[in-house]
Amino acid sequence: MLDIGKVDYNEVFVRYDIVSESKDNPETIAAKMLPKDPLLKKVAEDVLYMKWKDVEASVKGALAKYKPEDVIEKGLVKGMDVVGDLYGKGIYYLPHVMLAAKSMETGVKEAEKKMTSAMVTKGTVVMHVAEGDPHDIGKNIAAVLLRSSGYGIVDMGRDVPVDDVVDKVVDTKPTLVTGTALMTTTMSAFPRIAERLLEKGVELPFICAGGAVNRAFVESFPLGVYAEKAIQGPTLAGKVVEGWDYKKLRNKWDDLAKGKM
Ligand code: B12
């Protein structure tokens, strides 16, 4: 029989998440990852601490000093990076992530108001999030930046079937097509899209992005050009308008990414 007098309750009633909480918590991780500038830090904190009612005001505050693109990339996205880290460590749960995403979307909408929407249409971009994938925050940011740089956007939304993307590209004949995948289970849609486009005789750069993919994966199938950050969208699109094909974009990728061109 179990001798309860000898049981070490510290060994029995230890929740795994309490153990991780004791090593790290939102504040210690935030101290390492958040921007130092107080205005951008407040923006990032409103995402991190899910303050969707405050984020509009803090974005407005940061816009007084920074460009909307910087408020998004150096404030809102940094806050979401910390959320991702906390979720990965089991400190944040799905409801935290959903509320942080709500704050992020509110903040992006506020920053977008400050962007000049170019009247000239330089070209059309078909954008989508991979089949089975609900993560559309990065795609939405990239759409805002491309739109404000003068591109007409055909936004197909998230969880878009492979065939729908191919049909849309065939119908609209855009300047380029983009895909975002944040899940390892969804990224395989990209080579299938590229293959079907080529079968239909359509050759155009296919910009692929999102945490699930990297440059090596994207360059392993034809048409694929990797993008790491939303801010690279207008640069890559600009080169396509100049006549660059996907092979030239890949060859010059390092210079493009470093902002040398
Ligand atoms: C927010 C979030 C959610 C939100 C999404 C809300 C939304 N509307 O997007 C919600 C709560 C819905 C969610 C749900 C789930 N999630 Co989630 N989620 C995240 C989280 C925390 C952040 C993602 C994010 O928005 N990042 C910020 C944006 C800005 O980054 P981004 O999209 O990558 O975009 C950047 C670049 O990639 C680039 N970019 C993106 N697109 C484009 C396009 C162009 C043209 C260009 C140029 C650039 C570009 O620019 C941006 C930066 O500048 C990540 C963790 C992480 N570390 O990423 C997990 C994460 C992606 N989720 C994950 C999982 C598992 C899920 C769930 C399956 C969880 C569950 N058990 O149910 C569900 C999905 C269920 C389903 N199938 O429907 C995993 C995926 C793991 C994997 N390897 O497959 C992650 C990595 C968390 C983890 N560590 O486990 N999630």
Short mmCIF file of all heavy atoms in Angstrom, two decimals, residues 214-242:
data_model
loop_
_atom_site.label_atom_id
_atom_site.label_comp_id
_atom_site.label_asym_id
_atom_site.label_seq_id
_atom_site.Cartn_x
_atom_site.Cartn_y
_atom_site.Cartn_z
N ASN A 214 11.45 28.98 -45.79
CA ASN A 214 12.71 29.72 -45.82
C ASN A 214 13.18 29.81 -47.27
O ASN A 214 12.55 29.26 -48.18
CB ASN A 214 13.77 29.08 -44.91
CG ASN A 214 14.04 27.65 -45.30
OD1 ASN A 214 13.88 27.26 -46.46
ND2 ASN A 214 14.44 26.84 -44.34
N ARG A 215 14.29 30.50 -47.45
CA ARG A 215 14.73 30.77 -48.81
C ARG A 215 15.06 29.46 -49.55
O ARG A 215 14.70 29.29 -50.72
CB ARG A 215 15.97 31.69 -48.76
CG ARG A 215 16.34 32.22 -50.10
CD ARG A 215 17.46 33.24 -49.99
NE ARG A 215 18.06 33.48 -51.28
CZ ARG A 215 19.20 34.12 -51.45
NH1 ARG A 215 19.86 34.58 -50.41
NH2 ARG A 215 19.68 34.30 -52.66
N ALA A 216 15.71 28.52 -48.86
CA ALA A 216 16.10 27.26 -49.51
C ALA A 216 14.87 26.51 -50.01
O ALA A 216 14.85 26.01 -51.13
CB ALA A 216 16.90 26.40 -48.54
N PHE A 217 13.82 26.46 -49.17
CA PHE A 217 12.60 25.75 -49.58
C PHE A 217 11.97 26.45 -50.79
O PHE A 217 11.62 25.80 -51.79
CB PHE A 217 11.60 25.69 -48.42
CG PHE A 217 10.23 25.20 -48.82
CD1 PHE A 217 10.03 23.86 -49.13
CD2 PHE A 217 9.15 26.08 -48.93
CE1 PHE A 217 8.76 23.39 -49.52
CE2 PHE A 217 7.90 25.63 -49.33
CZ PHE A 217 7.70 24.29 -49.62
N VAL A 218 11.84 27.76 -50.71
CA VAL A 218 11.14 28.49 -51.77
C VAL A 218 11.91 28.40 -53.10
O VAL A 218 11.30 28.34 -54.17
CB VAL A 218 10.91 29.97 -51.34
CG1 VAL A 218 10.30 30.77 -52.47
CG2 VAL A 218 10.00 30.03 -50.12
N GLU A 219 13.24 28.33 -53.01
CA GLU A 219 14.03 28.25 -54.24
C GLU A 219 14.17 26.80 -54.73
O GLU A 219 14.83 26.54 -55.72
CB GLU A 219 15.39 28.92 -54.03
CG GLU A 219 15.22 30.42 -53.81
CD GLU A 219 16.51 31.21 -53.82
OE1 GLU A 219 17.59 30.61 -54.01
OE2 GLU A 219 16.45 32.45 -53.65
N SER A 220 13.52 25.85 -54.03
CA SER A 220 13.60 24.45 -54.45
C SER A 220 12.55 24.13 -55.53
O SER A 220 12.55 23.05 -56.08
CB SER A 220 13.43 23.51 -53.25
OG SER A 220 12.08 23.56 -52.80
N PHE A 221 11.64 25.07 -55.81
CA PHE A 221 10.65 24.83 -56.88
C PHE A 221 10.65 26.04 -57.82
O PHE A 221 11.00 27.14 -57.41
CB PHE A 221 9.25 24.56 -56.30
CG PHE A 221 8.74 25.58 -55.32
CD1 PHE A 221 8.05 26.71 -55.74
CD2 PHE A 221 8.96 25.42 -53.94
CE1 PHE A 221 7.57 27.65 -54.83
CE2 PHE A 221 8.49 26.35 -53.02
CZ PHE A 221 7.80 27.46 -53.47
N PRO A 222 10.27 25.82 -59.09
CA PRO A 222 10.31 26.92 -60.04
C PRO A 222 9.34 28.05 -59.65
O PRO A 222 8.36 27.80 -58.94
CB PRO A 222 9.89 26.28 -61.37
CG PRO A 222 9.36 24.95 -61.04
CD PRO A 222 9.86 24.55 -59.70
N LEU A 223 9.63 29.24 -60.09
CA LEU A 223 8.85 30.48 -59.88
C LEU A 223 9.04 31.08 -58.48
O LEU A 223 8.88 32.28 -58.29
CB LEU A 223 7.34 30.29 -60.13
CG LEU A 223 6.89 29.69 -61.46
CD1 LEU A 223 5.35 29.71 -61.53
CD2 LEU A 223 7.45 30.43 -62.65
N GLY A 224 9.37 30.27 -57.49
CA GLY A 224 9.41 30.74 -56.10
C GLY A 224 10.50 31.77 -55.83
O GLY A 224 11.65 31.60 -56.21
N VAL A 225 10.10 32.86 -55.15
CA VAL A 225 11.05 33.88 -54.69
C VAL A 225 10.70 34.14 -53.23
O VAL A 225 9.54 34.43 -52.90
CB VAL A 225 10.92 35.20 -55.49
CG1 VAL A 225 11.87 36.26 -54.96
CG2 VAL A 225 11.16 34.97 -56.98
N TYR A 226 11.67 34.03 -52.35
CA TYR A 226 11.42 34.16 -50.92
C TYR A 226 11.32 35.63 -50.49
O TYR A 226 12.03 36.48 -51.00
CB TYR A 226 12.56 33.48 -50.16
CG TYR A 226 12.46 33.58 -48.65
CD1 TYR A 226 11.36 33.07 -47.98
CD2 TYR A 226 13.48 34.17 -47.91
CE1 TYR A 226 11.27 33.15 -46.60
CE2 TYR A 226 13.41 34.25 -46.52
CZ TYR A 226 12.30 33.75 -45.87
OH TYR A 226 12.21 33.84 -44.51
N ALA A 227 10.41 35.92 -49.55
CA ALA A 227 10.39 37.24 -48.89
C ALA A 227 10.37 37.00 -47.39
O ALA A 227 9.61 36.18 -46.89
CB ALA A 227 9.16 38.03 -49.30
N GLU A 228 11.24 37.71 -46.71
CA GLU A 228 11.35 37.53 -45.26
C GLU A 228 10.44 38.50 -44.52
O GLU A 228 9.84 38.17 -43.52
CB GLU A 228 12.82 37.79 -44.88
CG GLU A 228 13.17 37.32 -43.51
CD GLU A 228 14.64 37.55 -43.22
OE1 GLU A 228 15.35 38.14 -44.06
OE2 GLU A 228 15.07 37.15 -42.13
N LYS A 229 10.37 39.73 -45.04
CA LYS A 229 9.59 40.77 -44.37
C LYS A 229 8.63 41.42 -45.35
O LYS A 229 8.92 41.53 -46.54
CB LYS A 229 10.53 41.84 -43.83
CG LYS A 229 11.40 41.32 -42.74
CD LYS A 229 12.25 42.40 -42.16
CE LYS A 229 12.93 41.82 -40.94
NZ LYS A 229 13.51 42.75 -40.09
N ALA A 230 7.51 41.92 -44.80
CA ALA A 230 6.49 42.56 -45.64
C ALA A 230 7.07 43.75 -46.40
O ALA A 230 6.69 44.02 -47.54
CB ALA A 230 5.32 42.99 -44.76
N ILE A 231 7.99 44.45 -45.78
CA ILE A 231 8.56 45.66 -46.38
C ILE A 231 9.30 45.35 -47.69
O ILE A 231 9.51 46.22 -48.52
CB ILE A 231 9.48 46.36 -45.34
CG1 ILE A 231 9.70 47.84 -45.66
CG2 ILE A 231 10.81 45.67 -45.15
CD1 ILE A 231 8.60 48.71 -45.19
N GLN A 232 9.69 44.08 -47.90
CA GLN A 232 10.39 43.70 -49.15
C GLN A 232 9.41 43.60 -50.33
O GLN A 232 9.84 43.56 -51.48
CB GLN A 232 11.09 42.35 -48.97
CG GLN A 232 12.28 42.42 -48.03
CD GLN A 232 12.77 41.04 -47.60
OE1 GLN A 232 12.05 40.05 -47.71
NE2 GLN A 232 14.00 41.00 -47.13
N GLY A 233 8.10 43.54 -50.03
CA GLY A 233 7.10 43.37 -51.09
C GLY A 233 7.21 44.41 -52.19
O GLY A 233 7.39 44.07 -53.37
N PRO A 234 7.14 45.72 -51.82
CA PRO A 234 7.21 46.74 -52.87
C PRO A 234 8.54 46.72 -53.64
O PRO A 234 8.54 46.95 -54.85
CB PRO A 234 7.07 48.06 -52.07
CG PRO A 234 6.31 47.67 -50.85
CD PRO A 234 6.75 46.28 -50.51
N THR A 235 9.65 46.38 -52.98
CA THR A 235 10.94 46.31 -53.68
C THR A 235 10.91 45.20 -54.73
O THR A 235 11.29 45.41 -55.89
CB THR A 235 12.08 46.00 -52.67
OG1 THR A 235 11.95 46.88 -51.57
CG2 THR A 235 13.45 46.13 -53.30
N LEU A 236 10.45 44.01 -54.32
CA LEU A 236 10.40 42.89 -55.26
C LEU A 236 9.42 43.18 -56.40
O LEU A 236 9.73 42.96 -57.58
CB LEU A 236 9.98 41.60 -54.52
CG LEU A 236 11.00 41.07 -53.50
CD1 LEU A 236 10.37 39.99 -52.63
CD2 LEU A 236 12.23 40.50 -54.21
N ALA A 237 8.25 43.72 -56.05
CA ALA A 237 7.25 44.03 -57.09
C ALA A 237 7.80 45.05 -58.08
O ALA A 237 7.60 44.93 -59.30
CB ALA A 237 5.97 44.54 -56.44
N GLY A 238 8.53 46.04 -57.56
CA GLY A 238 9.12 47.08 -58.42
C GLY A 238 10.05 46.47 -59.46
O GLY A 238 10.05 46.87 -60.63
N LYS A 239 10.83 45.49 -59.05
CA LYS A 239 11.76 44.84 -59.98
C LYS A 239 11.01 44.02 -61.02
O LYS A 239 11.41 43.95 -62.17
CB LYS A 239 12.75 43.94 -59.20
CG LYS A 239 13.68 44.73 -58.30
CD LYS A 239 14.53 45.69 -59.11
CE LYS A 239 15.31 46.66 -58.23
NZ LYS A 239 15.87 47.79 -58.97
N VAL A 240 9.89 43.40 -60.60
CA VAL A 240 9.10 42.62 -61.56
C VAL A 240 8.54 43.57 -62.63
O VAL A 240 8.55 43.26 -63.83
CB VAL A 240 7.96 41.83 -60.86
CG1 VAL A 240 7.16 41.02 -61.88
CG2 VAL A 240 8.52 40.90 -59.80
N VAL A 241 8.07 44.75 -62.18
CA VAL A 241 7.55 45.74 -63.14
C VAL A 241 8.66 46.16 -64.12
O VAL A 241 8.42 46.38 -65.30
CB VAL A 241 6.96 46.96 -62.39
CG1 VAL A 241 6.63 48.10 -63.35
CG2 VAL A 241 5.72 46.55 -61.60
N GLU A 242 9.90 46.22 -63.62
CA GLU A 242 11.04 46.56 -64.50
C GLU A 242 11.37 45.43 -65.47
O GLU A 242 12.22 45.58 -66.33
CB GLU A 242 12.29 46.83 -63.65
CG GLU A 242 12.34 48.21 -63.03
CD GLU A 242 13.59 48.38 -62.16
OE1 GLU A 242 14.63 47.75 -62.46
OE2 GLU A 242 13.51 49.12 -61.18
#
